[in-house]
């Protein structure tokens, strides 16, 4: 009888302990599942209030990506305008880049949008240039090219290091769009577009280069590897956009109030003096330029080319209607 009671107590104790342990295990399992579901994030890189040919400073970065922003204390500037971000963990990232609009209130060329998926490695440093919108000057008779937007990994100087580049739009002053087929828009192909001009134009760049010539009174957009050509009349009037490998500054107007700098991201400058000219957009390959010898606005710069090394691509030409941006989701 005593043995039977001992066996009953042992079985009862074992059953109670097993029932207590089971909920404890399930609670731990559910907690881990909750952490995984909260791990995704979306990061948006912007021009941080910078305009013109120079990109944002560290101070502007800090003032934009403040506490509560996913990029808070995560972006460093070592070369002005080039935002450096460190990959937090290895995995697949979706990256979407928008090129900047060209100068011209009404019909400035629109930037391209390039999107893809990429495998990134923890602690890789990614360099990002967010293109800035081109400007308008000379009683609305000339404008500058918009900057391209670049997302680049180490070593930052080869086609293999490119994640995605979205071309900027060409400068297009006035109220009429004279370019056929959207040539003043950022392109989804790798080549930059030619400019348009009743008195002359230059062709866009190819193979990651800026055009090697510009029409009168305008400067070409930059490519990834080389700068855009200086003002076709004389380099003392204005410079072409700078290539990504050279810092991505927009072209500089050297003529004065009748000219306008290109947008950061390699946009070409434009000017007015007899001939009027509009700059090309920056991108993987730079956009060409247009010129007209009249006090009218029928001249436009070509859009910059783009490049996408990602999988599951989704690319569009002529959609960016302001400064550029980059969205990274993981």
């Amino acid at each position: 009888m005593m043995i039977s009671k001992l066996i009953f107590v042992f079985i009862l104790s074992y059953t109670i302990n097993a029932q207590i342990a089971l909920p404890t295990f399930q609670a731990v399992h559910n907690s881990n599942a909750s952490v995984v579901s909260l791990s995704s994030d979306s990061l948006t890189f912007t021009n941080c209030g910078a305009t013109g040919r120079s990109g944002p400073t560290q101070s502007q970065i800090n003032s934009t990506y403040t506490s509560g922003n996913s990029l808070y204390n995560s972006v460093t500037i070592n070369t002005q305008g080039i935002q450096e971000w460190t990959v937090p963990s290895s995995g697949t990232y979706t990256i979407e880049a928008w090129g900047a609009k060209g100068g011209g209130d009404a019909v400035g060329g629109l930037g391209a949008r390039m999107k893809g998926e990429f495998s990134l490695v923890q602690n890789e440093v990614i360099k990002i240039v967010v293109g800035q919108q081109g400007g308008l000057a000379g009683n609305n008779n000339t404008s500058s090219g918009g900057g391209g937007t670049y997302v680049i990994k180490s070593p930052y100087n080869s086609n293999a290091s490119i994640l995605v580049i979205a071309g900027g739009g060409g400068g297009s002053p006035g109220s009429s769009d004279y370019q056929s087929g959207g040539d003043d828009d950022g392109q989804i192909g790798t080549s930059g577009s030619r400019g348009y001009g009743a008195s002359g134009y230059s062709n866009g760049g190819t193979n990651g280069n800026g055009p090697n010539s510009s029409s009168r009174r305008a400067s070409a957009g930059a490519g990834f590897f080389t700068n855009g050509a200086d003002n076709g009349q004389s380099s003392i009037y204005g410079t072409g956009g700078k290539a990504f490998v050279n810092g991505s500054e927009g072209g500089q107007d050297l003529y004065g109030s009748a000219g306008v700098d290109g947008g950061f991201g390699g946009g070409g400058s434009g000017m007015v003096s007899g001939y009027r000219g509009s700059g090309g957009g920056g991108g993987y390959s730079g956009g060409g330029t247009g010129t007209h010898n009249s006090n009218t606005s029928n001249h436009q710069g070509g859009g910059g080319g783009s490049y996408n090394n990602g999988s599951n691509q989704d690319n569009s030409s002529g959609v960016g209607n302001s400064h550029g941006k980059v969205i990274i989701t993981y």
Side-chain angles (χ1 to χ4, degrees):
M1 188 70 170
M2 180 62 69
I3 292 174
S4 297
K5 288 182 178 180
L6 289 174
I7 291 173
F8 174 79
V9 170
F10 175 78
I11 293 172
L12 179 62
S13 175
Y14 177 84
T15 301
I16 292 173
N17 287 337
Q19 288 176 339
I20 292 173
L22 182 58
T24 303
F25 172 76
Q26 288 176 329
V28 172
H29 177 76
N30 288 339
S31 176
N32 286 341
S34 176
V35 170
V36 171
S37 68
L38 295 175
S39 64
S40 63
D41 206 348
S42 181
L43 312 173
T44 300
F45 299 80
T46 71
N47 62 311
C48 297
T51 58
R53 66 186 296 263
S54 299
T57 63
Q58 186 69 60
S59 177
Q60 288 173 306
I61 292 290
N62 296 341
S63 296
T64 301
Y65 305 144
T66 56
S67 177
N69 187 298
S70 298
L71 290 173
Y72 179 60
N73 284 341
S74 297
V75 177
T76 302
I77 300 290
N78 288 306
T79 299
Q80 184 172 344
I82 299 181
Q83 304 183 41
E84 298 186 14
W85 170 75
T86 301
V87 177
S89 59
S90 298
T92 300
Y93 289 71
T94 299
I95 303 177
E96 182 177 357
W98 296 63
K101 180 178 181 290
D105 290 343
V107 293
L110 303 177
R113 181 190 66 85
M114 308 293 286
K115 183 179 181 180
E117 294 180 357
F118 305 84
S119 294
L120 302 183
V121 178
Q122 185 176 24
N123 294 327
E124 277 188 300
V125 177
I126 306 300
K127 293 187 176 183
I128 295 172
V129 164
V130 176
Q132 293 171 191
Q133 188 171 334
L136 183 66
N139 295 322
N140 298 343
N141 285 324
T142 192
S143 57
S144 60
T149 293
Y150 304 74
V151 185
I152 314 296
K153 66 180 182 178
S154 179
Y156 316 111
N157 60 3
S158 66
N159 283 333
S161 68
I162 297 171
L163 297 174
V164 62
I165 298 173
S172 300
S175 58
S176 299
D177 191 344
Y178 296 92
Q179 288 275 48
S180 61
D183 284 344
D184 54 340
D185 293 332
Q187 304 294 296
I188 60 173
T190 59
S191 297
S193 289
R194 70 170 182 86
Y196 171 88
S199 299
Y201 66 87
S202 72
N203 292 318
T206 60
N207 300 318
N209 299 302
N212 57 17
S213 64
S214 292
S215 59
R216 302 179 71 176
R217 300 295 193 260
S219 300
F224 180 70
F225 297 111
T226 64
N227 300 341
D230 292 340
N231 186 294
Q233 183 72 14
S234 172
S235 61
I236 65 173
Y237 295 138
T239 63
K242 300 296 183 184
F244 175 86
V245 298
N246 294 328
S248 279
E249 285 185 325
Q252 185 176 13
D253 164 52
L254 299 174
Y255 189 77
S257 60
V260 59
D261 291 339
F264 180 70
S269 60
M271 67 169 287
V272 173
S273 179
Y275 282 88
R276 284 97 169 99
S278 289
Y284 174 68
S285 302
T289 61
T291 299
H292 187 56
N293 185 20
S294 175
N295 190 29
T296 60
S297 57
N298 56 342
H299 52 84
Q300 297 171 320
S306 301
Y307 200 102
N308 193 342
N309 267 324
S311 60
N312 297 320
Q313 294 185 20
D314 179 8
N315 306 320
S316 301
S317 176
V319 294
N321 63 358
S322 183
H323 300 293
K325 62 183 176 181
V326 171
I327 302 172
I328 298 179
T329 307
Y330 62 98

